[in-house]
Amino acid sequence: MRTHGIRSPPRSPITLRHLLTHSAGIPSQNDPHPLLEAWRNSPEAAAAQPPDDAPPIVRMFSKPLLFDPGQGWRYGACIHWLTLFVTRLSGAARFADTVQASIFDPLDLRSSTYNAATRPDLADRQLQMVRRRGPEDGDKPAAAILPDDDPPLSLVCSVSDLATVLADIISPAPRLLSSASARVFAASAFAASAFAPRYSALLDLRRCTENYAAPAGSPDPADLDNPDQLPVNFAPAATRLPRSGFPHGTAMHPSAANSHRPGTTAGFATQFSPIDDPAAIDLAMAFMHAACTA
């Protein structure tokens, strides 16, 4: 799909790197992008529906690409497609079975599951998510309780289990990955040169305040064009991010960060939604800064 809504075949194939870094052009199921809205309301969308016997992921997430693979960044259903790939590669009946056998069991993670319906013992331990109300909500209470998934449709895990996974990956002898794969985990995900193919994906990512800029501790959106304000897996920074203290060598996720070279890991969990809630970000940055500069 191009800027004016004219669809054409992608110029390059989608790679594993594209899927892992959300740079494949694949949108989310309910992505509000104007081009997708126009496509959904077109006869072409109705005619493009996958058959009823297609896997659920294919039926839910078959949408036109928003850009050529590697030429942009947009948080979407890339990981969902990866689950289908992993399941077929492993030969397991379900993705949850593969993760249980390959990750949860080897690390003895007893508070993690992709099948929450079979783990009622975890239901009572889940954090109740809330949304901070703003001025537009009038005199309503300061926070609104968000409804729970019934059952949750994604990963359910404890912070300690997440820390165990990250600690294994950055250890001298990881059990989940080969040493070579562990080094790739902390390597640069996007090119930092304006002449490199993946540079446009980096630019898009740096401007995404919800999924990257605010959780990573970038001081201000205006600073996102400065490569020195980004962790190394997105640009070759030699300095720490000022708010979070993330050092050179940090691999970033909104709820966790791990620094491969110093061999340290840190995580932060919050009950506030969305992830870029200002008060929650302030708490996360104070925690991360203390962890990263101790």
Side-chain angles (χ1 to χ4, degrees):
M1 186 177 288
R2 299 291 183 266
T3 305
H4 302 291
I6 300 174
R7 292 214 303 140
S8 62
R11 298 176 183 175
S12 59
I14 295 175
T15 67
L16 184 60
R17 177 188 288 272
H18 295 148
L19 293 174
L20 288 169
T21 58
H22 289 283
S23 59
I26 298 173
S28 61
Q29 183 180 10
N30 300 311
D31 193 306
H33 195 288
L35 293 179
L36 281 175
E37 291 293 342
W39 178 79
R40 290 187 185 102
N41 296 323
S42 69
E44 183 182 3
Q49 292 301 311
D52 293 339
D53 60 351
I57 290 173
V58 175
R59 296 198 307 274
M60 293 174 64
F61 300 111
S62 291
K63 306 287 188 299
L65 300 182
L66 291 174
F67 46 80
D68 283 312
Q71 297 305 308
W73 187 93
R74 192 172 182 89
Y75 187 80
C78 290
I79 300 301
H80 296 81
W81 286 102
L82 271 175
T83 64
L84 185 62
F85 173 77
V86 169
T87 303
R88 290 178 174 177
L89 188 65
S90 68
R94 301 178 308 161
F95 175 72
D97 297 333
T98 300
V99 177
Q100 186 70 44
S102 302
I103 299 176
F104 297 161
D105 288 345
L107 295 183
D108 194 27
L109 305 182
R110 302 185 182 186
S111 297
S112 299
T113 182
Y114 268 98
N115 192 3
T118 66
R119 293 292 305 276
D121 58 307
L122 297 182
D124 294 338
R125 297 168 53 195
Q126 291 186 63
L127 289 174
Q128 174 63 60
M129 300 302 295
V130 297
R131 178 182 65 84
R132 187 184 306 281
R133 295 191 189 275
E136 68 278 4
D137 294 307
D139 297 329
K140 296 179 180 179
I145 295 177
L146 298 179
D148 294 327
D149 291 337
D150 187 26
L153 300 177
S154 57
L155 173 66
V156 173
C157 73
S158 65
V159 176
S160 58
D161 276 6
L162 176 61
T164 298
V165 173
L166 292 175
D168 178 75
I169 292 174
I170 66 174
S171 70
R175 287 175 287 175
L176 297 181
L177 301 175
S178 67
S179 296
S181 295
R183 287 193 295 271
V184 173
F185 182 77
S188 180
F190 296 114
S193 168
F195 300 99
R198 298 191 301 276
Y199 187 67
S200 55
L202 172 64
L203 293 180
D204 282 351
L205 174 66
R206 283 151 67 167
R207 294 182 173 89
C208 179
T209 58
E210 179 178 3
N211 288 293
Y212 175 72
S218 293
D220 186 272
D223 293 322
L224 297 180
D225 287 326
N226 181 358
D228 289 339
Q229 302 295 342
L230 297 171
V232 74
N233 62 330
F234 301 127
T239 59
R240 295 178 181 270
L241 283 172
R243 291 190 68 199
S244 63
F246 290 147
H248 181 75
T250 297
M252 179 61 206
H253 181 272
S255 62
N258 87 80
S259 185
H260 186 274
R261 293 187 181 183
T264 58
T265 185
F268 180 84
T270 178
Q271 291 173 258
F272 277 115
S273 180
I275 188 64
D276 57 347
D277 177 88
I281 289 296
D282 286 343
L283 288 172
M285 294 302 101
F287 174 82
M288 291 294 189
H289 195 277
C292 293
T293 58

